[in-house]
Amino acid sequence: MDNELLTMAMSVVMAEEIARRIAKQSRAVGEPKRKMKVIRVRDVEPGNVLDVPGSGVLREFVAVSGTNNFLLDVIVDGELLTSGDFNWYRSISEFSDWIDAFESDGSFVVRLSDIDFSERLLVRYQPGSGLTGRQARLSDMLAKIEFY
């Protein structure tokens, strides 16, 4: 009986290893190699805060501000995908799987994820009226991009 269990266990291990190798080969042959790039910038000036030519997926974008008085536009392949202020992003974030917006310890955070683009991706940040100096800047920005 012990010999039968050992034989079955070895068969399972061999089958899993064969499946793993077949999956690895099919990925290598069937899919183009993808490159990941992570960008982190602090004290970000207003304007085009992310401009990515080519094709890929914006896996994650995080904008952190000391105020909720700003606009964030996302332009994909030359067309406006979304535009709004922090309060708009926060109001729809509970209904969206690709938008999160929240306040944490006095910082206002907008997080976007899984946005496909085939020509160019552009994210534009505009401070609200009356903001100047440091108040007009994003305190932190992070982008994780997967290129095709």
Side-chain angles (χ1 to χ4, degrees), residues 94-108:
E94 68 180 283
F95 307 106
S96 171
D97 61 350
W98 63 279
I99 297 173
D100 291 313
F102 55 92
E103 181 181 359
S104 177
D105 295 327
S107 292
F108 298 86

Side-chain angles (χ1 to χ4, degrees), residues 19-34:
R20 186 184 67 79
R21 288 184 184 190
I22 289 171
K24 185 177 179 181
Q25 287 174 352
S26 66
R27 277 193 307 270
V29 172
E31 293 182 17
K33 190 170 185 176
R34 295 181 181 185

Side-chain angles (χ1 to χ4, degrees), residues 4-148:
E4 287 178 34
L5 288 175
L6 181 59
T7 302
M8 278 199 307
M10 289 299 293
S11 295
V12 169
V13 169
M14 288 174 53
E16 288 175 347
E17 181 62 19
I18 290 168
R20 186 184 67 79
R21 288 184 184 190
I22 289 171
K24 185 177 179 181
Q25 287 174 352
S26 66
R27 277 193 307 270
V29 172
E31 293 182 17
K33 190 170 185 176
R34 295 181 181 185
K35 182 176 133 187
M36 190 71 71
K37 183 174 184 179
V38 176
I39 301 168
R40 182 169 185 206
V41 183
R42 293 178 185 227
D43 200 27
V44 182
E45 294 279 342
N48 295 339
V49 295
L50 185 65
D51 188 356
V52 183
S55 63
V57 179
L58 179 63
R59 288 291 174 206
E60 185 171 23
F61 174 84
V62 179
V64 182
S65 176
T67 177
N68 66 351
N69 188 11
F70 64 87
L71 296 173
L72 202 60
D73 301 331
V74 180
I75 301 154
V76 175
D77 301 331
E79 295 189 27
L80 185 65
L81 176 67
T82 185
S83 177
D85 62 9
F86 172 81
N87 291 325
W88 180 82
Y89 282 102
R90 183 170 54 185
S91 71
I92 66 164
S93 68
E94 68 180 283
F95 307 106
S96 171
D97 61 350
W98 63 279
I99 297 173
D100 291 313
F102 55 92
E103 181 181 359
S104 177
D105 295 327
S107 292
F108 298 86
V109 180
V110 174
R111 181 183 174 275
L112 309 172
S113 62
D114 298 325
I115 299 173
D116 291 305
F117 58 98
S118 58
E119 297 171 11
R120 170 171 251 116
L121 172 76
L122 184 66
V123 179
R124 184 180 307 129
Y125 163 74
Q126 301 170 28
S129 61
L131 296 179
T132 58
R134 270 191 134 28
Q135 286 183 325
R137 298 177 180 185
L138 289 174
S139 56
D140 212 349
M141 184 204 76
L142 174 84
K144 183 177 175 185
I145 307 151
E146 183 178 1
F147 292 96
Y148 297 137

